[in-house]
Amino acid sequence: YTMLSLTLLIFVLECISQQYAEKVQCMQGILEGMVEAMECEQEVAPTKCNFPIFKEYTGYEGDTAMLFYDCGSCNPPDLGVTCQECDVTQPDTPCNVINVGADF
Protein backbone atom coordinates (compact mmCIF):
# COMPACT_ATOMS: atom_id res chain seq x y z
CA TYR A 1 0.00 0.00 0.00
CA THR A 2 2.78 2.49 0.87
CA MET A 3 4.64 1.76 -2.39
CA LEU A 4 1.48 2.54 -4.37
CA SER A 5 0.97 5.76 -2.41
CA LEU A 6 4.56 6.80 -2.99
CA THR A 7 4.30 6.09 -6.72
CA LEU A 8 1.09 8.08 -6.95
CA LEU A 9 2.64 11.00 -5.04
CA ILE A 10 5.66 11.07 -7.38
CA PHE A 11 3.36 11.02 -10.41
CA VAL A 12 1.27 13.92 -9.09
CA LEU A 13 4.37 15.99 -8.24
CA GLU A 14 5.79 15.37 -11.73
CA CYS A 15 2.53 16.55 -13.33
CA ILE A 16 2.51 19.69 -11.19
CA SER A 17 6.16 20.50 -11.95
CA GLN A 18 5.57 20.15 -15.71
CA GLN A 19 2.56 22.46 -15.49
CA TYR A 20 4.58 25.19 -13.79
CA ALA A 21 7.84 24.65 -15.70
CA GLU A 22 9.20 27.77 -17.34
CA LYS A 23 8.10 28.04 -20.96
CA VAL A 24 10.75 28.47 -23.63
CA GLN A 25 10.41 31.07 -26.39
CA CYS A 26 11.69 30.64 -29.94
CA MET A 27 11.06 32.65 -33.06
CA GLN A 28 8.34 30.76 -34.94
CA GLY A 29 6.82 31.06 -38.38
CA ILE A 30 7.51 30.71 -42.08
CA LEU A 31 10.31 32.78 -43.57
CA GLU A 32 8.10 34.30 -46.30
CA GLY A 33 5.31 35.05 -43.81
CA MET A 34 5.15 36.27 -40.26
CA VAL A 35 7.91 35.28 -37.84
CA GLU A 36 7.53 36.23 -34.18
CA ALA A 37 8.71 35.22 -30.70
CA MET A 38 6.23 32.76 -29.19
CA GLU A 39 6.17 30.22 -26.37
CA CYS A 40 6.94 26.69 -27.49
CA GLU A 41 3.96 24.38 -27.19
CA GLN A 42 5.77 21.07 -26.62
CA GLU A 43 4.95 19.01 -23.53
CA VAL A 44 8.60 19.08 -22.52
CA ALA A 45 10.40 22.39 -23.03
CA PRO A 46 12.90 22.13 -25.87
CA THR A 47 16.55 22.97 -25.32
CA LYS A 48 17.04 24.14 -28.91
CA CYS A 49 15.43 26.45 -31.45
CA ASN A 50 15.97 26.11 -35.20
CA PHE A 51 16.10 28.51 -38.13
CA PRO A 52 17.01 28.67 -41.85
CA ILE A 53 20.63 28.89 -42.96
CA PHE A 54 21.55 32.27 -44.43
CA LYS A 55 24.82 32.69 -46.30
CA GLU A 56 26.24 36.10 -47.03
CA TYR A 57 26.19 37.07 -50.72
CA THR A 58 24.02 34.09 -51.74
CA GLY A 59 21.07 34.28 -49.31
CA TYR A 60 18.97 31.47 -47.86
CA GLU A 61 19.62 27.85 -48.71
CA GLY A 62 16.59 26.09 -50.22
CA ASP A 63 13.07 27.14 -51.22
CA THR A 64 12.20 30.15 -49.06
CA ALA A 65 8.51 29.16 -49.08
CA MET A 66 9.49 26.01 -47.17
CA LEU A 67 11.86 27.55 -44.60
CA PHE A 68 10.66 27.88 -41.01
CA TYR A 69 11.74 29.27 -37.66
CA ASP A 70 10.61 26.83 -34.95
CA CYS A 71 11.09 25.19 -31.55
CA GLY A 72 13.27 22.14 -31.07
CA SER A 73 15.88 20.51 -33.25
CA CYS A 74 16.03 20.46 -37.05
CA ASN A 75 14.80 17.42 -38.93
CA PRO A 76 17.92 15.25 -39.38
CA PRO A 77 18.01 15.43 -43.22
CA ASP A 78 17.77 19.26 -43.10
CA LEU A 79 20.38 19.86 -40.37
CA GLY A 80 23.31 21.72 -41.89
CA VAL A 81 21.67 21.83 -45.32
CA THR A 82 18.76 24.27 -44.95
CA CYS A 83 18.39 24.32 -41.15
CA GLN A 84 20.60 25.23 -38.20
CA GLU A 85 20.06 25.02 -34.45
CA CYS A 86 20.89 27.12 -31.41
CA ASP A 87 20.87 26.26 -27.71
CA VAL A 88 18.30 27.98 -25.50
CA THR A 89 20.20 29.78 -22.74
CA GLN A 90 17.44 32.12 -21.49
CA PRO A 91 13.89 30.71 -21.65
CA ASP A 92 12.28 34.12 -22.29
CA THR A 93 14.72 35.16 -25.06
CA PRO A 94 14.69 33.36 -28.43
CA CYS A 95 18.15 32.28 -29.58
CA ASN A 96 17.04 31.96 -33.23
CA VAL A 97 16.62 35.69 -33.90
CA ILE A 98 16.43 36.97 -37.46
CA ASN A 99 19.80 38.39 -38.44
CA VAL A 100 19.69 40.85 -41.28
CA GLY A 101 23.01 41.88 -42.76
CA ALA A 102 23.95 45.30 -44.04
CA ASP A 103 22.74 46.38 -47.48
CA PHE A 104 25.36 46.90 -50.14
Side-chain angles (χ1 to χ4, degrees), residues 27-38 68-69 98:
M27 299 299 288
Q28 297 179 57
I30 190 165
L31 180 64
E32 287 191 346
M34 185 175 191
V35 177
E36 60 183 315
M38 295 174 23
F68 296 88
Y69 285 76
I98 301 171

Side-chain angles (χ1 to χ4, degrees), residues 85-103:
E85 302 172 345
C86 58
D87 294 319
V88 174
T89 56
Q90 296 179 338
D92 60 341
T93 305
C95 64
N96 61 341
V97 295
I98 301 171
N99 292 321
V100 178
D103 289 340

Side-chain angles (χ1 to χ4, degrees):
Y1 175 76
T2 56
M3 186 61 141
L4 178 61
S5 298
L6 183 60
T7 304
L8 184 59
L9 177 64
I10 291 171
F11 175 75
V12 169
L13 290 174
E14 180 67 27
C15 291
I16 291 170
S17 69
Q18 285 183 4
Q19 181 180 3
Y20 292 103
E22 194 165 18
K23 295 284 187 176
V24 170
Q25 284 193 3
C26 291
M27 299 299 288
Q28 297 179 57
I30 190 165
L31 180 64
E32 287 191 346
M34 185 175 191
V35 177
E36 60 183 315
M38 295 174 23
E39 284 186 353
C40 297
E41 297 292 327
Q42 283 92 342
E43 290 282 327
V44 177
T47 59
K48 295 184 180 295
C49 297
N50 67 71
F51 55 107
I53 293 176
F54 182 83
K55 294 188 178 179
E56 289 188 34
Y57 305 109
T58 59
Y60 288 98
E61 296 290 319
D63 180 5
T64 56
M66 299 301 295
L67 298 178
F68 296 88
Y69 285 76
D70 207 358
C71 299
S73 299
C74 297
N75 292 326
D78 299 332
L79 181 60
V81 179
T82 59
C83 183
Q84 58 189 346
E85 302 172 345
C86 58
D87 294 319
V88 174
T89 56
Q90 296 179 338
D92 60 341
T93 305
C95 64
N96 61 341
V97 295
I98 301 171
N99 292 321
V100 178
D103 289 340
F104 293 98

